[in-house]
Amino acid sequence: MLWPNEFPRSVNNINLTRDKEKKASLAGEGLDPSILKEYNITPQSSEEFKGGWLLKDQKKDLWVFKYSGDRNRLLIALEWQENLAKNKCSVLKMKRTKGDKLYLENNKEFFFVTEWISGQKFEVQQERHLLSCFKELGKIHKITENYSNVIIQNTRIDWTLIIQKKLKDLLQYHSFLRGKIKFTDFERFFMEHFDYFYNAGQEAVENMVLLQVDSARPHLLVNNFRSTDLLINDNKVVFTNLLKWSRGPKILDLVLLLNSYMPLLKWNSQAFKNILKTYKEETVLTKQDEQVLLALLRFPGRFWFYAYQYFVDFVEEKVLSEKFKKYIREYYWRDQCLNTVETWLWEG
């Protein structure tokens, strides 16, 4: 802000200098101004935000994201996101540079810019938020079916072998503990429930083989449903971060999303039915897909994960014991829910 002309010129000059310093800081601390220049951005203000900077422009808010991972992985994510945005999926719109690039490299780091939108926090307890998440995911899966990416389409992943490897891990942990005389609380819980969980895992693998999971066409998957990366805008969920993408059958996204949030709803079977109905309004879910979904949900993934943390990562035993107790309760709710849903699907 300029001082009034009646002030002495020397004072005026001092504050003009300070004003220039203030404008320079608007680029954002740690953000190279040359990056903004390449994107043709002149921000009115900025703040550190979610691994980057949120810029206030005259026309719209922009998010500058800093990425330090693999270049090819980044490019796949950004090209996919741009395609989804053009097809009106609930993702952030990309902004290209003056040279028509999706990202810039600066000092061995990558920077890209998207539009940012304000909204509400994603809350799974609000059923409309969760249903919207599955609805918008269905739209993304539908568009992605026709999205061509050579790296993805030429990829084959043996999901059955991956699951079988986890069962083999469980057998090794079990064999090790059989030679012990005294158990910790976690080890005792593990041994008491081993047969039940291992048999459930075997059944899941058998169903995966029968349903030919590995022959399913691979897709790009969102693979990230953290509430901090979901936003509610205009009553719709927006996926704000696709950098954690993976590849495989689309069912894996559904499994991850359901396993992430259904425990908070105590695996309510009516909520599960509403979720599937909402998802299927946007894309096809065949009878085979539904059976694969149930088979994967029945696999005791967290039983394996907690065991892995205990025997390999040496996570504190007391912490894992509490998590395991909670998981036992959730597993009971989950089995009841899946039994009800399976009957409903067959009758439908």
Side-chain angles (χ1 to χ4, degrees):
M1 173 178 159
L2 298 179
W3 289 91
N5 291 332
E6 61 265 23
F7 281 96
R9 184 174 180 183
S10 60
V11 176
N12 194 44
N13 286 342
I14 291 173
N15 283 280
L16 275 172
T17 302
R18 289 176 178 173
D19 192 59
K20 288 178 181 178
E21 291 174 350
K22 181 180 179 182
K23 287 182 179 178
S25 71
L26 293 179
E29 186 176 350
L31 177 58
D32 191 328
S34 65
I35 294 172
L36 299 183
K37 185 177 179 181
E38 284 297 318
Y39 276 98
N40 220 4
I41 301 172
T42 305
Q44 296 175 316
S45 66
S46 72
E47 60 182 276
E48 292 187 8
F49 182 72
K50 289 180 176 260
W53 299 267
L54 183 62
L55 308 181
K56 300 286 185 179
D57 204 330
Q58 290 182 341
K59 297 179 180 179
K60 56 185 64 118
D61 293 344
L62 299 170
W63 183 21
V64 180
F65 194 97
K66 182 171 67 174
Y67 177 80
S68 303
D70 178 75
R71 181 201 305 267
N72 291 330
R73 182 175 179 83
L74 172 65
L75 185 57
I76 290 173
L78 299 186
E79 287 179 342
W80 181 39
Q81 183 166 335
E82 184 177 61
N83 179 269
L84 292 174
K86 287 179 179 178
N87 283 280
K88 303 188 184 307
C89 290
S90 285
V91 297
L92 300 175
K93 293 181 180 179
M94 302 298 306
K95 182 175 176 63
R96 284 181 174 259
T97 67
K98 289 189 291 186
D100 201 33
K101 296 180 180 179
L102 282 170
Y103 68 88
L104 292 174
E105 185 173 0
N106 185 284
N107 294 326
K108 297 182 180 181
E109 292 180 320
F110 304 100
F111 298 82
F112 64 91
V113 178
T114 71
E115 294 183 11
W116 182 255
I117 53 178
S118 59
Q120 300 172 256
K121 179 183 177 181
F122 174 81
E123 296 180 359
V124 68
Q125 287 81 3
Q126 296 193 41
E127 187 175 356
R128 61 188 178 87
H129 287 192
L130 189 59
L131 292 179
S132 174
C133 193
F134 280 90
K135 186 177 185 69
E136 300 308 319
L137 180 63
K139 292 179 182 178
I140 288 176
H141 284 170
K142 179 65 175 178
I143 295 300
T144 304
E145 285 177 1
N146 299 316
Y147 178 67
S148 176
N149 184 291
V150 175
I151 295 176
I152 301 302
Q153 300 306 328
N154 291 343
T155 298
R156 184 179 183 277
I157 302 175
D158 294 320
W159 293 106
T160 305
L161 288 179
I162 292 173
I163 296 295
Q164 287 175 326
K165 169 63 171 60
K166 292 182 177 181
L167 287 178
K168 185 178 179 181
D169 290 342
L170 291 176
L171 278 177
Q172 290 178 330
Y173 304 149
H174 183 265
S175 178
F176 168 74
L177 290 180
R178 280 171 55 188
K180 290 190 67 174
I181 298 175
K182 188 175 181 180
F183 293 152
T184 65
D185 283 345
F186 180 84
E187 291 168 348
R188 179 169 53 80
F189 293 147
F190 178 88
M191 295 299 281
E192 286 176 354
H193 295 90
F194 176 82
D195 287 343
Y196 178 81
F197 283 115
Y198 185 79
N199 290 337
Q202 284 278 52
E203 184 179 350
V205 169
E206 290 170 5
N207 286 332
M208 290 170 68
V209 172
L210 289 173
L211 296 165
Q212 299 180 320
V213 172
D214 296 333
S215 65
R217 180 188 176 201
H219 287 72
L220 274 169
L221 306 175
V222 174
N223 194 41
N224 174 25
F225 303 106
R226 296 188 309 176
S227 60
T228 52
D229 288 325
L230 301 175
L231 181 69
I232 301 295
N233 176 267
D234 195 22
N235 293 318
K236 294 196 305 184
V237 162
V238 179
F239 298 90
T240 65
N241 187 344
L242 299 183
L243 295 175
K244 299 181 185 298
W245 63 265
S246 63
R247 46 187 172 243
K250 62 184 181 182
I251 294 301
L252 294 180
D253 259 351
L254 291 177
V255 170
L256 177 58
L257 185 48
L258 286 163
N259 276 332
S260 297
Y261 291 114
M262 283 302 293
L264 299 178
L265 302 178
K266 297 185 177 180
W267 286 90
N268 181 282
S269 59
Q270 188 57 52
F272 195 115
K273 294 176 186 178
N274 293 339
I275 284 167
L276 289 186
K277 289 177 183 177
T278 301
Y279 178 82
K280 291 196 289 185
E281 289 173 358
E282 303 301 331
T283 189
V284 174
L285 201 60
T286 66
K287 288 293 184 183
Q288 183 181 29
D289 289 335
E290 292 170 350
Q291 294 308 306
V292 170
L293 174 63
L294 294 179
L296 290 173
L297 286 172
R298 289 187 187 279
F299 183 81
R302 272 201 285 162
F303 182 72
W304 169 84
F305 180 62
Y306 292 151
Y308 182 88
Q309 286 187 310
Y310 181 82
F311 291 103
V312 180
D313 290 341
F314 302 107
V315 174
E316 186 180 348
E317 188 268 341
K318 184 177 180 181
V319 173
L320 288 177
S321 294
E322 290 303 313
K323 288 183 177 180
F324 193 81
K325 290 177 186 177
K326 184 177 178 181
Y327 178 53
I328 298 298
R329 292 194 298 271
E330 291 176 7
Y331 208 84
Y332 172 77
W333 296 333
R334 193 206 63 183
D335 272 0
Q336 295 295 103
C337 174
L338 295 183
N339 290 341
T340 301
V341 171
E342 186 168 25
T343 300
W344 171 69
L345 288 174
W346 280 115
E347 290 175 349

